[in-house]
Amino acid sequence: SFMSLFTVMPLRALYLGHVSFCKLFGLQRISMMKVFRKAGVMNRKVAADEEEELFSQSLPDYVCDILWSGLIILPCYILLQLKTSEVFHYIHAQEVIKLYLVLTMLEIFDKICGSLSFDCLETLAASCSALVGGKSCRGGEQYTTTRGSTGDLFRTLLDFVFSVFVMCFHCIIIMFEAITFNVVLNSANSSLLALLVSNNFAELKGTVFKNMNVTRLWTLTIQDIVEHFHISICLIFVLIENMLLTNTTLPSYQMLMKCLAILGAEVVVDVIKHSFLGKFQNIKPGVYSEYLKDMCEKAVSSSSLNGYRIIKFNPLVPAALLMRIVVPLLRRTWYRAVLLLSKLKIIVLICAYWALLLGMKIMLGWAIQVIARKYLSYYNKIRKEKNKP
């Protein structure tokens, strides 16, 4: 779902613009079913009425693509207005104990905003379904195609405005967390790096001795998955910021090793945390097989449009932060290219990277589907063997 934001979603938004333009001027639009059939994706022919019906049913998802683009661009614009150097020096001037409190506070707000922003996406998808009819695969109920009243439009706009506010706040929280990582990694004081690692063990202490059941453990597991992804984006932010400051094209080896050490420490602490949770709460390790089975079942029945719902992950916030990282890097590269030929090379490279990302997205989606189906068949086979008398 995260990679589709930069590959599939722009294509879907362009196709919706093409369909709207053709309807406005009475032109014949491009049939996607014919394109898929020529590409070998589909074998059977689809009638024009059936294709129109399929497009009408999927129209809420196309509208969601347009709104999601706004939910990425607007927070990214807000983040570009923030001066990271001032925030960096302000955090750097704080004492060690204050940095510990800042990290704890940012982690708490990150989890709260993550849950709230995911609910905003669900509500926005339901509003799009109510506005244009049909049912969005991102959430919501089935509506008739005769919808589209003024009340539905006002509700959609209100949900979009509130979602923008929540996304901007969440993006600022994660960006501050990334700047805090940058302060710790660039500081000559080694105690700050030890503070960052010890913060993980404080989380271990606060989690292991809580009362935990299977449902809460599942919630904790998906929160850890999302947290690892957010930390990875924050560390990418640190690497690219240091590349911009040192005017280099590649991150330094020492900084890269520090980032990998932080991510590795986070993974190790989470493994220890789940191990002791199972021991103290008398939860058998087989419950993780059940979690993996449920995730595989949802992955098989999901697509790139709604795969984020498996772990209740909001992909727009890290996407906006990643855009905030990439835009200054592209801007510096573009201004360095004085000749027209150099700028054309940059455009060709961007298109090549996009095509590579699209290929990686397709291959990753195919690999996830294959692995999920094989695990489900393996799981069912093991279950049958255990149930034999």
Side-chain angles (χ1 to χ4, degrees):
S1 294
F2 180 75
M3 296 178 68
S4 66
L5 296 178
F6 303 100
T7 54
V8 177
M9 194 175 75
L11 295 178
R12 290 172 56 86
L14 288 175
Y15 181 69
L16 180 60
H18 164 72
V19 172
S20 302
F21 181 82
C22 292
K23 283 188 177 182
L24 183 62
F25 293 97
L27 302 176
Q28 185 177 3
R29 72 182 187 189
I30 299 175
S31 175
M32 293 304 298
M33 299 300 175
K34 292 182 180 179
V35 174
F36 291 152
R37 192 166 62 250
K38 289 181 179 180
V41 179
M42 294 183 60
N43 295 324
R44 69 182 185 90
K45 293 184 178 181
V46 179
D49 295 339
E50 185 180 357
E51 182 177 356
E52 185 67 27
E53 180 66 22
L54 292 174
F55 178 78
S56 299
Q57 292 296 325
S58 60
L59 188 57
D61 291 318
Y62 284 99
V63 177
C64 274
D65 291 334
I66 301 297
L67 298 181
W68 276 29
S69 301
L71 291 177
I72 295 175
I73 295 172
L74 292 177
C76 178
Y77 177 78
I78 297 297
L79 293 180
L80 286 171
Q81 307 310 311
L82 296 177
K83 296 181 179 179
T84 57
S85 59
E86 295 181 0
V87 181
F88 178 90
H89 290 295
Y90 176 79
I91 296 176
H92 189 268
Q94 305 303 314
E95 299 176 357
V96 176
I97 187 63
K98 288 185 178 180
L99 279 178
Y100 177 80
L101 294 176
V102 167
L103 280 173
T104 306
M105 180 186 67
L106 290 175
E107 287 183 1
I108 293 173
F109 274 108
D110 183 18
K111 292 180 180 179
I112 294 174
C113 292
S115 177
L116 182 59
S117 60
F118 177 79
D119 293 337
C120 288
L121 295 184
E122 295 280 304
T123 306
L124 188 62
S127 299
C128 292
S129 300
L131 178 64
V132 298
K135 182 181 179 180
S136 173
C137 66
R138 297 179 172 106
E141 300 178 357
Q142 178 77 33
Y143 293 93
T144 60
T145 55
T146 58
R147 304 278 300 194
S149 62
T150 306
D152 294 330
L153 179 61
F154 178 76
R155 172 187 167 186
T156 305
L157 292 177
L158 187 63
D159 290 338
F160 177 73
V161 171
F162 184 74
S163 299
V164 168
F165 175 77
V166 174
M167 298 293 173
C168 289
F169 185 73
H170 195 187
C171 286
I172 291 173
I173 292 296
I174 296 183
M175 186 174 180
F176 283 0
E177 189 175 359
I179 295 173
T180 306
F181 282 142
N182 199 8
V183 170
V184 172
L185 293 173
N186 286 282
S187 177
N189 189 0
S190 59
S191 61
L192 294 181
L193 187 59
L195 169 68
L196 191 61
V197 177
S198 64
N199 191 38
N200 295 328
F201 286 94
E203 179 187 358
L204 178 65
K205 176 184 176 182
T207 306
V208 167
F209 300 103
K210 287 184 179 180
N211 187 18
M212 192 73 61
N213 53 26
V214 176
T215 304
R216 291 181 180 177
L217 184 60
W218 163 247
T219 304
L220 181 64
T221 303
I222 61 176
Q223 284 179 352
D224 290 338
I225 296 173
V226 174
E227 184 182 5
H228 292 166
F229 189 81
H230 284 179
I231 291 176
S232 301
I233 296 295
C234 291
L235 295 177
I236 293 174
F237 177 90
V238 172
L239 293 175
I240 296 182
E241 280 290 317
N242 283 272
M243 288 168 54
L244 292 174
L245 290 175
T246 56
N247 203 15
T248 57
T249 56
L250 292 174
S252 65
Y253 177 78
Q254 293 180 351
M255 185 62 65
L256 183 60
M257 289 297 103
K258 287 182 180 179
C259 292
L260 292 177
I262 290 175
L263 187 59
E266 184 72 27
V267 173
V268 169
V269 169
D270 285 340
V271 171
I272 296 173
K273 177 177 66 177
H274 284 271
S275 301
F276 280 99
L277 273 174
K279 177 179 176 59
F280 293 148
Q281 304 295 332
N282 197 21
I283 299 176
K284 295 182 179 180
V287 71
Y288 292 99
S289 299
E290 298 291 335
Y291 293 160
L292 185 57
K293 188 259 297 185
D294 293 338
M295 292 178 66
C296 289
E297 288 178 348
K298 293 177 182 178
V300 168
S301 60
S302 301
S303 64
S304 60
L305 298 179
N306 58 356
Y308 67 95
R309 300 180 66 191
I310 298 175
I311 57 174
K312 297 183 179 180
F313 166 61
N314 179 9
L316 304 185
V317 173
L321 184 61
L322 188 62
M323 289 291 293
R324 163 60 182 81
I325 304 168
V326 173
V327 167
L329 187 63
L330 292 178
R331 186 186 300 165
R332 188 194 69 174
T333 307
W334 181 263
Y335 287 151
R336 279 185 173 182
V338 181
L339 300 177
L340 179 60
L341 182 60
S342 301
K343 294 185 177 181
L344 289 176
K345 288 181 179 179
I346 293 173
I347 295 175
V348 170
L349 283 175
I350 292 174
C351 295
Y353 282 133
W354 180 85
L356 179 63
L357 189 64
L358 178 61
M360 289 175 60
K361 185 263 171 196
I362 295 174
M363 292 299 296
L364 184 61
W366 174 79
I368 290 174
Q369 290 287 328
V370 170
I371 293 173
R373 294 178 188 276
K374 285 189 175 181
Y375 181 79
L376 288 176
S377 62
Y378 168 77
Y379 181 88
N380 294 329
K381 181 181 177 181
I382 295 298
R383 282 292 180 183
K384 288 181 180 178
E385 292 178 356
K386 287 184 177 181
N387 293 332
K388 284 183 180 180

